[in-house]
Each structure stands twice: as structure tokens, then as C-alpha cells.
Amino acid sequence: LAGMTRSAAEGCLGLEQLTLQDCQKLSDLSLKHLARGLGRLRQLNLSFCGGISDAGLLHLSHMSSLRSLNLRSCDNISDTGIMHLAMGSLRLSGLDVSFCDKVGDQSLAYIAQGLDGLRSLSLCSCHISDEGINRMVRQMHGLRTLNIGQCVRITDKGLELIAEHLSQLTGIDLYGCTRITKRGLERITQLPCLKVLNLGLWEMTESEKLGIVTEILLPRYID
């Protein structure tokens, strides 16, 4: 596919979008081939590829054409892999590391340092906390979509930091964030561009939810 061995295949060197979701036999060597051969690749989906690790991300970190990278449920990806991505020449606009349970607060610091051009970031079920949010949001002013569902260590403090620094946010997923309260939610819903808000499994009465959403969000849809 990447044209590394012409006796086996000519390759598809002009490829811009590649989905390899749930290809369990792929290893870090495959990412080395992709990085060397597919220089025009813009979107790469490796979700549920359990055979790739941090070492493979070191190869991807030099793909300057890549704009979207999906690593959802890649169990062997950790903070070290995110460090590799952040220290390379990537110019990502979208990154999904949801359900990578070895990704934590240190990854958010790396993202702020080297991937601050992101417009969409998904961290659902990662081991992040308010401290990680604090280390990230001050450098991520262009972020439009933030998915932190099932990040059970996030509290109102984290939401206040998000509301203070991510003024361009249009969508946020708070599904299963059981430690947030009405106070934090009211702060988030003051974001001027917010259009999408997911509150599934949030511990508040239905009447309280409806009151907040109707009062703050409904007028924006009408406009």
C-alpha cells in the first residue's frame, strides 16, 4: 500500500484518507511504512488497532501533511506516544485518543506545547483531571470541539478553566462526568459560541437540566 516494495505492490502514493479501524495485526512497522510512503495522507484512522504502540507514533510524528488522527481505543498508547506526536512536525487539526487508558494529564501538557493548532480534541475516558485541563487550555485558544465524556476526575474547577480560556468552543461532551454540578455547568453554558452540549449520565434532576438548557441554549438555536 505504501509502495515500499515494488516487487509486491506499486503502492497508492497519492492517498489522502486511510481507515484501518480494528486491524488487530497491524504493528508499529506498518506505521513506519505509511509515514515513509504516503506523504500526502491527511486523515488516518487507527482506532481499535491494539497492536500499535508509542514507538509507532514516533514515525507518524513526521507526517507534516496529516491533519486528522484517530487513535481511539488503542490500548498501548500512553503519554509517551503523545509526547512523540507533539515533538514532531505534525500540524493536526483533529486528534482522538478516547479510551486510551494510559493517556493522562501529562499528555495534555504535551498537547499544549506541540499540538496547539488543534480544533477538535477527544479525550473520553482518559485519566485526566482538572490539573491536566489547567495545563492545556491556556495554549489552546483555537479549540472548537472538546470531548471529555467519562473523565470522572473532572470537576467544576475544570469547567471553569475551560470556560475562561476556550472562548471559541462550539461543542463539549460531558457525558458521564459525574463530579460536575450545576455551578460548573452554568459557567460552561456562558460560552458565546456553544451549540452542542452532551450531559448524559449527569447527576442532576431532569427539571434542572431543562431549565438551564432552555434558558441559555435555546435562544441560540432560534437565532
Side-chain angles (χ1 to χ4, degrees):
L1 182 67
M4 292 293 99
T5 306
R6 291 196 174 274
S7 62
E10 290 297 320
C12 188
L13 307 187
L15 204 63
E16 295 186 0
Q17 183 172 340
L18 178 61
T19 296
L20 297 169
Q21 179 176 331
D22 206 19
C23 293
Q24 295 295 327
K25 294 185 178 181
L26 287 182
S27 69
D28 293 331
L29 180 59
S30 65
L31 302 191
K32 180 179 180 180
H33 294 326
L34 294 181
R36 289 179 58 189
L38 302 182
R40 300 181 186 177
L41 203 63
R42 296 180 62 84
Q43 299 181 37
L44 179 59
N45 185 344
L46 297 168
S47 56
F48 299 93
C49 289
I52 65 174
S53 72
D54 295 333
L57 299 193
L58 184 59
H59 300 301
L60 297 185
S61 68
H62 302 296
M63 299 186 71
S64 58
S65 64
L66 201 62
R67 295 295 178 269
S68 176
L69 179 59
N70 189 338
L71 298 169
R72 189 182 185 91
S73 294
C74 291
D75 296 334
N76 292 314
I77 300 302
S78 73
D79 292 336
T80 300
I82 305 304
M83 177 188 70
H84 291 329
L85 295 179
M87 294 181 66
S89 55
L90 289 175
R91 293 180 292 168
L92 291 179
S93 59
L95 176 64
D96 188 343
V97 291
S98 296
F99 302 98
C100 294
D101 57 12
K102 296 177 183 177
V103 169
D105 286 340
Q106 186 59 51
S107 285
L108 298 190
Y110 292 139
I111 287 171
Q113 292 169 9
L115 297 172
D116 56 350
L118 285 173
R119 294 294 180 266
S120 175
L121 177 60
S122 294
L123 297 155
C124 295
S125 198
C126 291
H127 290 296
I128 61 172
S129 69
D130 296 338
E131 177 58 31
I133 295 294
N134 185 44
R135 298 170 76 176
M136 178 189 70
V137 293
R138 301 173 191 278
Q139 306 297 326
M140 305 290 290
H141 302 297
L143 202 64
R144 301 293 193 273
T145 303
L146 178 62
N147 297 323
I148 52 174
Q150 301 183 60
C151 293
V152 295
R153 297 167 65 195
I154 301 295
T155 71
D156 291 339
K157 179 181 178 182
L159 298 191
E160 290 167 0
L161 288 165
I162 290 169
E164 180 180 355
H165 296 282
L166 302 182
S167 61
Q168 299 302 308
L169 211 63
T170 62
I172 186 168
D173 178 7
L174 300 173
Y175 176 92
C177 293
T178 54
R179 294 184 64 188
I180 65 175
T181 71
K182 182 178 179 180
R183 179 172 66 90
L185 182 60
E186 287 177 336
R187 186 71 177 88
I188 277 291
T189 51
Q190 293 172 11
L191 283 165
C193 301
L194 193 68
K195 296 179 180 178
V196 178
L197 175 63
N198 185 359
L199 294 175
L201 294 182
W202 188 49
E203 294 181 351
M204 176 179 272
T205 66
E206 290 301 319
S207 60
E208 287 176 320
K209 289 183 188 179
L210 183 60
I212 291 176
V213 172
T214 301
E215 177 184 354
I216 300 176
L217 295 184
L218 188 56
R220 298 176 189 164
Y221 288 105
I222 294 174
D223 292 342

